[in-house]
Amino acid sequence: MSAATESALRQAWLRRGPLARLLYPISLLYRCLVAVRLRLYAWGLKPATRLPVPVVVVGNVVVGGAGKTPATIATVRHLIARGWHPGVVSRGHGRRGTQAMAVHPDSRASDCGDEPLLIQRATGVPVFVGRQRADAARTLLQVHPEVDVIVCDDGLQHLALARDLEIVVFDDRGLGNGWCLPAGMLREPWPRQNDVPALVLHQQRHPALPFCPGFVARRALSSDAVDASGTSTPLAHLAARQAPVVALAGIARPEVFFDMLTEAGLRLAHTWPLPDHADLATLWPALQAQCPAGATVLCTEKDAVKLWPLLSQTAPRVLAVPLVLTPEPAFFDALDAQLSSRHGPQTP
């Protein structure tokens, strides 16, 4: 899909205009297929794996860029603080291979996926990837028997893994026009058609998001950027310098990252919006050649785990700007209550 086509669709998904209405009949067929798949799992005709530990699935029902990875990191950090020993499983989008494997701090994103690598480095917990998340989870538990809760990153529609709780993440777009793909941004009808308890986490309260307890999360850039060694540089210092600053982002909505940098006071000499999970090993040489002399390159943490191993001594300075998601305290209270009601409280 071309960038222009993708941009047109994303705009169409926000309202029920001519393009969305043209695609609406196809979305009805898509919705029927989703309903049939849900029924097959509900009736037991397609099996779902039940693990011996509780499973919390973090995901979204809308397409792209809702903040599920920061939500996963925030959830894992909270579980650690509450005395749990979490592990994380993910498909590892864009990686080579399909077998279940562990993610280590020195893993390459091409082998395990950029988001699992980011989660592992941010939390330090065991992270395993696999095309079948249930296989990844079973392997994780075999290698790490101390793990007592599994957090599944981006597995809301992966019904082959049974879950005890779902965390559904929304961004400022809410439900968009409320229609399913390709007429709207919904991967499945909302509210979800299952009996699993769910918590909704979103950046602002939306009247169109009923049916589940909703909680607000503040999504903001860190005040500091970091380099590959972990050294921090305040964004305010970069904003005050005369040297040029450029930015790249290979995420679902790169314009959001660029806007946040601008709101932080940075004057961006150039921006490179890249496809989600972009192959920076291929793209970086051309981008590097376009960097102004003495420029600092700012990117997301998701891009940095792929970009830092490519840097040479002559490469521009590349800093990652972390995106911090801070849910309101009531969200964590609800999370604790749900897990306690099913598996007993943990003692920090």
Side-chain angles (χ1 to χ4, degrees), residues 188-210:
E188 58 182 296
W190 180 261
R192 302 198 73 231
Q193 304 300 311
N194 63 23
D195 298 324
V196 179
L199 303 176
V200 171
L201 191 61
H202 46 91
Q203 294 178 41
Q204 62 188 54
R205 299 199 186 277
H206 291 278
L209 296 179

PDB file of all heavy atoms in Angstrom, residues 188-210:
ATOM      1  N   GLU A 188     -12.199  -5.256  14.941  1.00  0.00           N
ATOM      2  CA  GLU A 188     -13.340  -6.079  15.322  1.00  0.00           C
ATOM      3  C   GLU A 188     -14.393  -5.147  15.900  1.00  0.00           C
ATOM      4  O   GLU A 188     -14.092  -4.016  16.289  1.00  0.00           O
ATOM      5  CB  GLU A 188     -12.937  -7.135  16.346  1.00  0.00           C
ATOM      6  CG  GLU A 188     -12.327  -6.536  17.620  1.00  0.00           C
ATOM      7  CD  GLU A 188     -11.894  -7.608  18.597  1.00  0.00           C
ATOM      8  OE1 GLU A 188     -12.778  -8.341  19.079  1.00  0.00           O
ATOM      9  OE2 GLU A 188     -10.676  -7.710  18.877  1.00  0.00           O
ATOM     10  N   PRO A 189     -15.644  -5.580  15.957  1.00  0.00           N
ATOM     11  CA  PRO A 189     -16.684  -4.708  16.515  1.00  0.00           C
ATOM     12  C   PRO A 189     -16.405  -4.375  17.973  1.00  0.00           C
ATOM     13  O   PRO A 189     -15.808  -5.158  18.710  1.00  0.00           O
ATOM     14  CB  PRO A 189     -17.964  -5.551  16.369  1.00  0.00           C
ATOM     15  CG  PRO A 189     -17.658  -6.532  15.295  1.00  0.00           C
ATOM     16  CD  PRO A 189     -16.196  -6.842  15.421  1.00  0.00           C
ATOM     17  N   TRP A 190     -16.842  -3.180  18.335  1.00  0.00           N
ATOM     18  CA  TRP A 190     -16.736  -2.740  19.735  1.00  0.00           C
ATOM     19  C   TRP A 190     -18.135  -2.517  20.282  1.00  0.00           C
ATOM     20  O   TRP A 190     -18.959  -1.919  19.616  1.00  0.00           O
ATOM     21  CB  TRP A 190     -15.913  -1.458  19.823  1.00  0.00           C
ATOM     22  CG  TRP A 190     -15.766  -0.971  21.246  1.00  0.00           C
ATOM     23  CD1 TRP A 190     -16.492   0.011  21.863  1.00  0.00           C
ATOM     24  CD2 TRP A 190     -14.848  -1.454  22.220  1.00  0.00           C
ATOM     25  NE1 TRP A 190     -16.093   0.169  23.149  1.00  0.00           N
ATOM     26  CE2 TRP A 190     -15.079  -0.724  23.414  1.00  0.00           C
ATOM     27  CE3 TRP A 190     -13.859  -2.445  22.221  1.00  0.00           C
ATOM     28  CZ2 TRP A 190     -14.356  -0.944  24.573  1.00  0.00           C
ATOM     29  CZ3 TRP A 190     -13.145  -2.653  23.384  1.00  0.00           C
ATOM     30  CH2 TRP A 190     -13.389  -1.909  24.532  1.00  0.00           C
ATOM     31  N   PRO A 191     -18.455  -3.038  21.498  1.00  0.00           N
ATOM     32  CA  PRO A 191     -17.566  -3.711  22.441  1.00  0.00           C
ATOM     33  C   PRO A 191     -17.237  -5.135  22.009  1.00  0.00           C
ATOM     34  O   PRO A 191     -17.944  -5.719  21.187  1.00  0.00           O
ATOM     35  CB  PRO A 191     -18.372  -3.703  23.734  1.00  0.00           C
ATOM     36  CG  PRO A 191     -19.791  -3.730  23.279  1.00  0.00           C
ATOM     37  CD  PRO A 191     -19.827  -2.886  22.042  1.00  0.00           C
ATOM     38  N   ARG A 192     -16.177  -5.685  22.579  1.00  0.00           N
ATOM     39  CA  ARG A 192     -15.740  -7.020  22.216  1.00  0.00           C
ATOM     40  C   ARG A 192     -16.780  -8.045  22.643  1.00  0.00           C
ATOM     41  O   ARG A 192     -17.402  -7.926  23.691  1.00  0.00           O
ATOM     42  CB  ARG A 192     -14.396  -7.339  22.872  1.00  0.00           C
ATOM     43  CG  ARG A 192     -13.315  -6.340  22.496  1.00  0.00           C
ATOM     44  CD  ARG A 192     -11.919  -6.864  22.776  1.00  0.00           C
ATOM     45  NE  ARG A 192     -11.561  -7.886  21.798  1.00  0.00           N
ATOM     46  CZ  ARG A 192     -11.097  -9.083  22.122  1.00  0.00           C
ATOM     47  NH1 ARG A 192     -10.959  -9.428  23.375  1.00  0.00           N
ATOM     48  NH2 ARG A 192     -10.786  -9.943  21.171  1.00  0.00           N
ATOM     49  N   GLN A 193     -16.926  -9.073  21.817  1.00  0.00           N
ATOM     50  CA  GLN A 193     -17.947 -10.084  22.049  1.00  0.00           C
ATOM     51  C   GLN A 193     -17.364 -11.287  22.773  1.00  0.00           C
ATOM     52  O   GLN A 193     -17.256 -12.390  22.224  1.00  0.00           O
ATOM     53  CB  GLN A 193     -18.561 -10.501  20.709  1.00  0.00           C
ATOM     54  CG  GLN A 193     -19.132  -9.357  19.904  1.00  0.00           C
ATOM     55  CD  GLN A 193     -20.246  -8.627  20.638  1.00  0.00           C
ATOM     56  OE1 GLN A 193     -21.169  -9.253  21.146  1.00  0.00           O
ATOM     57  NE2 GLN A 193     -20.158  -7.307  20.696  1.00  0.00           N
ATOM     58  N   ASN A 194     -16.954 -11.093  24.018  1.00  0.00           N
ATOM     59  CA  ASN A 194     -16.498 -12.228  24.830  1.00  0.00           C
ATOM     60  C   ASN A 194     -16.793 -11.933  26.293  1.00  0.00           C
ATOM     61  O   ASN A 194     -17.297 -10.859  26.647  1.00  0.00           O
ATOM     62  CB  ASN A 194     -15.005 -12.509  24.609  1.00  0.00           C
ATOM     63  CG  ASN A 194     -14.105 -11.351  25.042  1.00  0.00           C
ATOM     64  OD1 ASN A 194     -14.481 -10.520  25.870  1.00  0.00           O
ATOM     65  ND2 ASN A 194     -12.916 -11.293  24.477  1.00  0.00           N
ATOM     66  N   ASP A 195     -16.503 -12.904  27.150  1.00  0.00           N
ATOM     67  CA  ASP A 195     -16.818 -12.785  28.567  1.00  0.00           C
ATOM     68  C   ASP A 195     -15.589 -12.493  29.418  1.00  0.00           C
ATOM     69  O   ASP A 195     -15.640 -12.621  30.648  1.00  0.00           O
ATOM     70  CB  ASP A 195     -17.481 -14.089  29.065  1.00  0.00           C
ATOM     71  CG  ASP A 195     -18.791 -14.375  28.366  1.00  0.00           C
ATOM     72  OD1 ASP A 195     -19.513 -13.406  28.068  1.00  0.00           O
ATOM     73  OD2 ASP A 195     -19.083 -15.559  28.113  1.00  0.00           O
ATOM     74  N   VAL A 196     -14.487 -12.103  28.792  1.00  0.00           N
ATOM     75  CA  VAL A 196     -13.254 -11.835  29.529  1.00  0.00           C
ATOM     76  C   VAL A 196     -13.308 -10.433  30.119  1.00  0.00           C
ATOM     77  O   VAL A 196     -13.644  -9.474  29.410  1.00  0.00           O
ATOM     78  CB  VAL A 196     -12.032 -11.970  28.595  1.00  0.00           C
ATOM     79  CG1 VAL A 196     -10.748 -11.658  29.359  1.00  0.00           C
ATOM     80  CG2 VAL A 196     -11.978 -13.361  27.987  1.00  0.00           C
ATOM     81  N   PRO A 197     -12.988 -10.275  31.412  1.00  0.00           N
ATOM     82  CA  PRO A 197     -12.947  -8.924  31.984  1.00  0.00           C
ATOM     83  C   PRO A 197     -11.965  -8.041  31.213  1.00  0.00           C
ATOM     84  O   PRO A 197     -10.916  -8.507  30.769  1.00  0.00           O
ATOM     85  CB  PRO A 197     -12.464  -9.163  33.422  1.00  0.00           C
ATOM     86  CG  PRO A 197     -12.761 -10.596  33.704  1.00  0.00           C
ATOM     87  CD  PRO A 197     -12.640 -11.316  32.392  1.00  0.00           C
ATOM     88  N   ALA A 198     -12.325  -6.784  31.048  1.00  0.00           N
ATOM     89  CA  ALA A 198     -11.487  -5.873  30.268  1.00  0.00           C
ATOM     90  C   ALA A 198     -11.404  -4.519  30.957  1.00  0.00           C
ATOM     91  O   ALA A 198     -12.369  -4.041  31.550  1.00  0.00           O
ATOM     92  CB  ALA A 198     -12.029  -5.714  28.849  1.00  0.00           C
ATOM     93  N   LEU A 199     -10.230  -3.913  30.855  1.00  0.00           N
ATOM     94  CA  LEU A 199     -10.006  -2.543  31.306  1.00  0.00           C
ATOM     95  C   LEU A 199      -9.656  -1.709  30.085  1.00  0.00           C
ATOM     96  O   LEU A 199      -8.849  -2.133  29.249  1.00  0.00           O
ATOM     97  CB  LEU A 199      -8.863  -2.473  32.323  1.00  0.00           C
ATOM     98  CG  LEU A 199      -8.993  -3.341  33.573  1.00  0.00           C
ATOM     99  CD1 LEU A 199      -7.733  -3.219  34.431  1.00  0.00           C
ATOM    100  CD2 LEU A 199     -10.219  -2.972  34.385  1.00  0.00           C
ATOM    101  N   VAL A 200     -10.272  -0.543  29.980  1.00  0.00           N
ATOM    102  CA  VAL A 200      -9.996   0.358  28.864  1.00  0.00           C
ATOM    103  C   VAL A 200      -9.040   1.451  29.329  1.00  0.00           C
ATOM    104  O   VAL A 200      -9.253   2.077  30.374  1.00  0.00           O
ATOM    105  CB  VAL A 200     -11.293   0.991  28.322  1.00  0.00           C
ATOM    106  CG1 VAL A 200     -10.982   2.082  27.308  1.00  0.00           C
ATOM    107  CG2 VAL A 200     -12.166  -0.084  27.682  1.00  0.00           C
ATOM    108  N   LEU A 201      -8.000   1.656  28.551  1.00  0.00           N
ATOM    109  CA  LEU A 201      -7.003   2.676  28.861  1.00  0.00           C
ATOM    110  C   LEU A 201      -6.903   3.601  27.663  1.00  0.00           C
ATOM    111  O   LEU A 201      -6.614   3.166  26.549  1.00  0.00           O
ATOM    112  CB  LEU A 201      -5.652   2.014  29.140  1.00  0.00           C
ATOM    113  CG  LEU A 201      -4.535   2.864  29.739  1.00  0.00           C
ATOM    114  CD1 LEU A 201      -4.944   3.412  31.104  1.00  0.00           C
ATOM    115  CD2 LEU A 201      -3.260   2.039  29.871  1.00  0.00           C
ATOM    116  N   HIS A 202      -7.159   4.890  27.873  1.00  0.00           N
ATOM    117  CA  HIS A 202      -7.144   5.816  26.749  1.00  0.00           C
ATOM    118  C   HIS A 202      -6.606   7.169  27.183  1.00  0.00           C
ATOM    119  O   HIS A 202      -6.495   7.474  28.364  1.00  0.00           O
ATOM    120  CB  HIS A 202      -8.529   5.950  26.117  1.00  0.00           C
ATOM    121  CG  HIS A 202      -9.652   6.127  27.098  1.00  0.00           C
ATOM    122  ND1 HIS A 202     -10.094   7.347  27.528  1.00  0.00           N
ATOM    123  CD2 HIS A 202     -10.418   5.202  27.730  1.00  0.00           C
ATOM    124  CE1 HIS A 202     -11.088   7.182  28.391  1.00  0.00           C
ATOM    125  NE2 HIS A 202     -11.309   5.894  28.524  1.00  0.00           N
ATOM    126  N   GLN A 203      -6.254   7.994  26.187  1.00  0.00           N
ATOM    127  CA  GLN A 203      -5.597   9.257  26.465  1.00  0.00           C
ATOM    128  C   GLN A 203      -6.556  10.366  26.873  1.00  0.00           C
ATOM    129  O   GLN A 203      -6.137  11.365  27.438  1.00  0.00           O
ATOM    130  CB  GLN A 203      -4.812   9.706  25.224  1.00  0.00           C
ATOM    131  CG  GLN A 203      -3.650   8.795  24.892  1.00  0.00           C
ATOM    132  CD  GLN A 203      -2.934   9.245  23.648  1.00  0.00           C
ATOM    133  OE1 GLN A 203      -2.716  10.430  23.434  1.00  0.00           O
ATOM    134  NE2 GLN A 203      -2.559   8.297  22.814  1.00  0.00           N
ATOM    135  N   GLN A 204      -7.815  10.199  26.569  1.00  0.00           N
ATOM    136  CA  GLN A 204      -8.811  11.152  27.007  1.00  0.00           C
ATOM    137  C   GLN A 204     -10.150  10.432  27.065  1.00  0.00           C
ATOM    138  O   GLN A 204     -10.332   9.415  26.419  1.00  0.00           O
ATOM    139  CB  GLN A 204      -8.896  12.347  26.056  1.00  0.00           C
ATOM    140  CG  GLN A 204      -9.312  11.989  24.632  1.00  0.00           C
ATOM    141  CD  GLN A 204      -9.191  13.160  23.686  1.00  0.00           C
ATOM    142  OE1 GLN A 204      -8.144  13.775  23.578  1.00  0.00           O
ATOM    143  NE2 GLN A 204     -10.271  13.471  23.008  1.00  0.00           N
ATOM    144  N   ARG A 205     -11.058  10.948  27.854  1.00  0.00           N
ATOM    145  CA  ARG A 205     -12.328  10.254  28.019  1.00  0.00           C
ATOM    146  C   ARG A 205     -13.179  10.444  26.765  1.00  0.00           C
ATOM    147  O   ARG A 205     -13.373  11.548  26.285  1.00  0.00           O
ATOM    148  CB  ARG A 205     -13.066  10.781  29.250  1.00  0.00           C
ATOM    149  CG  ARG A 205     -12.259  10.566  30.518  1.00  0.00           C
ATOM    150  CD  ARG A 205     -13.126  10.633  31.759  1.00  0.00           C
ATOM    151  NE  ARG A 205     -12.316  10.563  32.964  1.00  0.00           N
ATOM    152  CZ  ARG A 205     -11.877   9.432  33.498  1.00  0.00           C
ATOM    153  NH1 ARG A 205     -12.183   8.285  32.929  1.00  0.00           N
ATOM    154  NH2 ARG A 205     -11.132   9.435  34.587  1.00  0.00           N
ATOM    155  N   HIS A 206     -13.657   9.320  26.238  1.00  0.00           N
ATOM    156  CA  HIS A 206     -14.478   9.340  25.038  1.00  0.00           C
ATOM    157  C   HIS A 206     -15.879   8.861  25.376  1.00  0.00           C
ATOM    158  O   HIS A 206     -16.052   7.756  25.889  1.00  0.00           O
ATOM    159  CB  HIS A 206     -13.897   8.415  23.957  1.00  0.00           C
ATOM    160  CG  HIS A 206     -12.613   8.903  23.371  1.00  0.00           C
ATOM    161  ND1 HIS A 206     -12.568   9.846  22.378  1.00  0.00           N
ATOM    162  CD2 HIS A 206     -11.330   8.580  23.643  1.00  0.00           C
ATOM    163  CE1 HIS A 206     -11.299  10.080  22.047  1.00  0.00           C
ATOM    164  NE2 HIS A 206     -10.541   9.323  22.814  1.00  0.00           N
ATOM    165  N   PRO A 207     -16.900   9.643  25.085  1.00  0.00           N
ATOM    166  CA  PRO A 207     -18.264   9.180  25.345  1.00  0.00           C
ATOM    167  C   PRO A 207     -18.624   7.951  24.523  1.00  0.00           C
ATOM    168  O   PRO A 207     -19.566   7.244  24.848  1.00  0.00           O
ATOM    169  CB  PRO A 207     -19.124  10.390  24.944  1.00  0.00           C
ATOM    170  CG  PRO A 207     -18.274  11.191  24.017  1.00  0.00           C
ATOM    171  CD  PRO A 207     -16.869  10.994  24.489  1.00  0.00           C
ATOM    172  N   ALA A 208     -17.878   7.691  23.437  1.00  0.00           N
ATOM    173  CA  ALA A 208     -18.177   6.542  22.589  1.00  0.00           C
ATOM    174  C   ALA A 208     -17.466   5.273  23.046  1.00  0.00           C
ATOM    175  O   ALA A 208     -17.444   4.284  22.334  1.00  0.00           O
ATOM    176  CB  ALA A 208     -17.777   6.851  21.149  1.00  0.00           C
ATOM    177  N   LEU A 209     -16.867   5.283  24.224  1.00  0.00           N
ATOM    178  CA  LEU A 209     -16.176   4.107  24.739  1.00  0.00           C
ATOM    179  C   LEU A 209     -16.853   3.602  26.006  1.00  0.00           C
ATOM    180  O   LEU A 209     -16.268   3.616  27.090  1.00  0.00           O
ATOM    181  CB  LEU A 209     -14.700   4.424  25.024  1.00  0.00           C
ATOM    182  CG  LEU A 209     -13.835   4.797  23.836  1.00  0.00           C
ATOM    183  CD1 LEU A 209     -12.414   5.107  24.289  1.00  0.00           C
ATOM    184  CD2 LEU A 209     -13.825   3.680  22.813  1.00  0.00           C
ATOM    185  N   PRO A 210     -18.103   3.131  25.916  1.00  0.00           N
ATOM    186  CA  PRO A 210     -18.765   2.586  27.086  1.00  0.00           C
ATOM    187  C   PRO A 210     -18.433   1.104  27.259  1.00  0.00           C
ATOM    188  O   PRO A 210     -17.508   0.591  26.634  1.00  0.00           O
ATOM    189  CB  PRO A 210     -20.242   2.779  26.753  1.00  0.00           C
ATOM    190  CG  PRO A 210     -20.278   2.618  25.271  1.00  0.00           C
ATOM    191  CD  PRO A 210     -18.963   3.173  24.747  1.00  0.00           C
TER     192      PRO A 210
END
